[in-house]
Amino acid sequence: MNIFSGLEEIVETSHPLAKHTWYGLGGPADYFIRPKTVKQLKEVVRRCNENRIPIYVLGFGSNLLIGDEGLRAAVVKLETDEFAQTKLDSEKVTAWAGAELSKLVLTCVQKGLSGIEALTGIPGSMGGAVKMNAGGNFGDIASAVESVTLMDIHGNIFEKKKPELVFDYRGTNITAKFILNAQLKLTGADPEQIMRTVKETWIYKKNNQPLNTKNCGCIFKNPRGVSAGALIDRAGLKALQIGGAIVSEKHANFISAEKGCTSKDVMRLIDAVRQRVKEQFDIELELEIEIWK
Ligand SMILES: Cc1cc2nc3c(=O)[nH]c(=O)nc-3n(C[C@H](O)[C@H](O)[C@H](O)COP(=O)(O)OP(=O)(O)OC[C@H]3O[C@@H](n4cnc5c(N)ncnc54)[C@H](O)[C@@H]3O)c2cc1C
């Protein structure tokens, strides 16, 4: 019998993942599943466990490099129906995993709610933003999140609140498989003032990041007290190219995928950059992006 019988509406087989990543790279997933409700998600998890199918949770794929061979697994994307909701109640916002971060930022600006405008220009979903503690020079999502609702790999749902919920540089202490939603605490402010911050942040990003290319944001975390981009630049690696993957001239911590690029090209370029930075500065660059292969 089909492993996912009765769930055909939300399950696709041999589904190409490239169109779900910002890189536009990645082979097929054995199962690509888009549950519409928490109940359906629980059922998907149960069937995967019963059949020993590994699960990957995909947001909007803006921090991911997926291998050319794809994944012998179930890739679960929480993006529709129940999972796309956002609820604003005075200064409290509940944003579900599939809500789009950039849209939420703008909604909050319009409502005169300050707290996440620093996330302007960061693509992705709420689930991905929380998991990665998305942010940068202007602040990160940690400062706005009060609590999260999670589901573990056995289908148990529970809440995690600060101070048990801890964020650090591009990460959290969330170990549960699924972030279902996040509760944010924002503060009332003048919409025009918040909009000015949004615009300034956006202009900064436009001037400093290769936004018109296929990329995945910063490849490496900044080592303590140093910018990874500056190290790569000082090592003379801007414009270094392997196959269709190229180190951006605009921001050396970005690797862009040109026409014909494969995931393998990006992985080889990542290795080359790491090796050269290690040789020159004796610093091991740590990945900020996630590689699924
Ligand atoms: C042009 C560009 C600029 C960027 N600039 C920044 C920046 O300034 N600052 C910054 O921090 N990042 C930046 N990024 C990286 C990226 O946008 C963020 O990391 C973003 O938060 C990832 O969200 P996503 O939904 O795309 O997650 P994905 O890339 O799909 O997934 C990232 C991780 O989150 C996990 N995940 C996603 N959803 C869930 C969920 N519901 N439950 C559990 N786990 C989940 C995935 O399993 C994976 O481990 C940039 C990326 C691009 C392409």
Side-chain angles (χ1 to χ4, degrees), residues 20-23 56-65 76-78 83 96-99 101 118-137 139-140 150 169-170 174 176-181 205 209-218 254 288-290 292:
H20 299 284
T21 64
W22 273 64
Y23 256 137
Y56 289 78
V57 191
L58 179 68
F60 290 177
S62 62
N63 201 51
L64 291 177
L65 177 62
V76 176
K77 187 166 182 183
L78 308 178
F83 296 107
W96 283 70
L101 184 63
L119 307 176
T120 298
I122 302 181
S125 65
M126 264 316 280
V130 171
K131 179 76 183 178
M132 297 308 303
N133 185 17
N137 296 343
D140 49 38
L150 306 171
Y169 174 44
R170 300 293 83 81
I174 295 172
K177 194 79 184 170
F178 301 95
I179 297 163
L180 299 182
N181 62 49
K205 299 245 158 161
Q209 297 181 353
L211 297 183
N212 56 348
T213 69
K214 285 187 175 170
N215 66 73
C216 193
C218 287
F254 278 58
E288 176 168 327
I289 64 159
E290 243 180 71
W292 292 356

Side-chain angles (χ1 to χ4, degrees), residues 126-281:
M126 264 316 280
V130 171
K131 179 76 183 178
M132 297 308 303
N133 185 17
N137 296 343
F138 304 100
D140 49 38
I141 200 162
S143 56
V145 178
E146 291 236 292
S147 63
V148 288
T149 310
L150 306 171
M151 184 194 278
D152 68 18
I153 194 63
H154 308 294
N156 302 309
I157 296 175
F158 57 99
E159 216 187 347
K160 192 165 181 146
K161 287 186 184 162
K162 282 177 177 167
E164 288 77 34
L165 174 63
V166 178
F167 291 88
D168 57 20
Y169 174 44
R170 300 293 83 81
T172 71
N173 64 345
I174 295 172
T175 52
K177 194 79 184 170
F178 301 95
I179 297 163
L180 299 182
N181 62 49
Q183 290 76 48
L184 313 182
K185 174 90 175 71
L186 305 177
T187 47
D190 172 19
E192 278 183 24
Q193 177 61 43
I194 314 172
M195 191 45 121
R196 265 198 293 279
T197 309
V198 167
K199 282 186 182 155
E200 279 165 21
T201 310
W202 181 243
I203 289 167
Y204 174 86
K205 299 245 158 161
K206 238 177 87 187
N207 289 339
N208 290 287
Q209 297 181 353
L211 297 183
N212 56 348
T213 69
K214 285 187 175 170
N215 66 73
C216 193
C218 287
I219 297 287
F220 302 104
K221 290 183 179 175
N222 292 323
R224 197 174 286 271
V226 211
S227 141
L231 290 175
I232 299 166
D233 189 4
R234 275 164 47 204
L237 301 178
K238 273 188 171 174
L240 181 70
Q241 182 156 8
I242 294 184
I246 182 163
V247 176
S248 166
E249 299 231 37
K250 201 163 186 182
H251 190 317
N253 199 8
F254 278 58
I255 289 180
S256 301
E258 298 193 330
K259 204 160 178 272
C261 184
T262 62
S263 299
K264 185 87 190 146
D265 293 339
V266 181
M267 288 178 206
R268 286 173 56 212
L269 188 54
I270 288 173
D271 288 344
V273 168
R274 259 183 163 162
Q275 197 183 328
R276 293 272 288 273
V277 168
K278 171 77 180 152
E279 281 164 10
Q280 196 149 340
F281 306 107

